[in-house]
Amino acid sequence: MFLEESSLVEKDGDWLHELALNNTVLETLNFYVTDIANVRIQDLELIARNCPNLNSVKITDCEVLDLVNFFQYASALEEFSGGSYNEESEKYSAMSLPAKLSRLGLTYITKNEMPIVFPYAALLKKLDLLYAMLDTEDHCTLIQRCPNLEVLEVNFQNFFSLYLFAYSSNSCNDVLVV
């Protein structure tokens, strides 16, 4: 189900609950960058439990710490984008992401939450930092920890600096900067 950047009016969160109850074949769930706000974490967990082939989930803002069980159930997950980081950065260090995760989109992450990514950075092939609240130095710190990175999505403000970094450092020769 792909709703990314869709303009829609949400009546309630029951649509997600119905999807969670009645679907076992969902592979993609994407309501990233939408105004969908009535998301129950329990529904996301149920989808992850009921859909063993769920490999891509992109969501709106919800506290990432509330997704601990979701990440445990979503063992086939290869891509995740969204969530928010509203707690103290130390609380995120105990989080565990699915082992197959290789594409990650970090929404509104700041320098303080960057250590969350470090244990998984070497596995990442795609990193979406379009909505990250990082300066150029933070971007570079993160990129250097991603030796297998193939695609990097950044906003225009950081594009030129990252382009120069990527091609002058020889650490990102094969990275496609979008």
Side-chain angles (χ1 to χ4, degrees):
M1 173 180 275
F2 188 91
L3 301 172
E4 185 169 330
E5 295 185 12
S6 294
S7 179
L8 47 98
V9 177
E10 182 185 24
K11 182 178 152 189
D12 54 34
D14 288 345
W15 68 274
L16 188 61
H17 185 68
E18 288 298 319
L19 188 66
L21 289 175
N22 299 304
N23 197 312
T24 59
V25 295
L26 197 64
E27 294 181 15
T28 299
L29 177 62
N30 183 339
F31 52 95
Y32 193 53
V33 193
T34 65
D35 290 329
I36 294 174
N38 295 315
V39 176
R40 292 182 212 101
I41 302 301
Q42 298 86 347
D43 292 334
L44 291 173
E45 292 172 0
L46 187 57
I47 289 171
R49 268 187 280 169
N50 289 347
C51 302
N53 295 321
L54 185 66
N55 61 44
S56 176
V57 173
K58 294 182 172 187
I59 61 173
T60 57
D61 297 338
C62 69
E63 175 54 55
V64 171
L65 288 173
D66 295 337
L67 298 173
V68 171
N69 291 333
F70 165 79
F71 286 130
Q72 288 176 346
Y73 301 138
S75 59
L77 199 64
E78 297 173 13
E79 178 175 37
F80 177 79
S81 293
S84 57
Y85 307 86
N86 301 313
E87 298 292 332
E88 295 177 24
S89 57
E90 307 85 55
K91 292 184 178 183
Y92 297 98
S93 61
M95 276 195 67
S96 179
L97 298 174
K100 293 182 181 181
L101 195 70
S102 63
R103 299 182 312 268
L104 185 61
L106 300 169
T107 311
Y108 309 121
I109 194 168
T110 68
K111 180 178 187 164
N112 293 336
E113 294 87 25
M114 280 178 31
I116 301 164
V117 183
F118 294 162
Y120 307 96
L123 304 173
L124 296 178
K125 293 181 181 180
K126 178 182 175 187
L127 185 58
D128 176 350
L129 298 174
L130 282 172
Y131 300 102
M133 309 297 279
L134 303 173
D135 62 21
T136 302
E137 183 180 335
D138 298 334
H139 278 83
C140 293
T141 299
L142 197 50
I143 292 166
Q144 287 176 321
R145 293 176 179 257
C146 302
N148 297 308
L149 198 62
E150 297 170 2
V151 177
L152 174 64
E153 294 183 353
V154 295
N155 63 37
F156 186 74
Q157 293 171 337
N158 290 310
F159 174 77
F160 187 70
S161 299
L162 290 173
Y163 178 82
L164 291 176
F165 167 77
Y167 292 99
S168 66
S169 69
N170 291 327
S171 64
C172 305
N173 287 337
D174 297 326
V175 175
L176 173 62
V177 180
V178 181

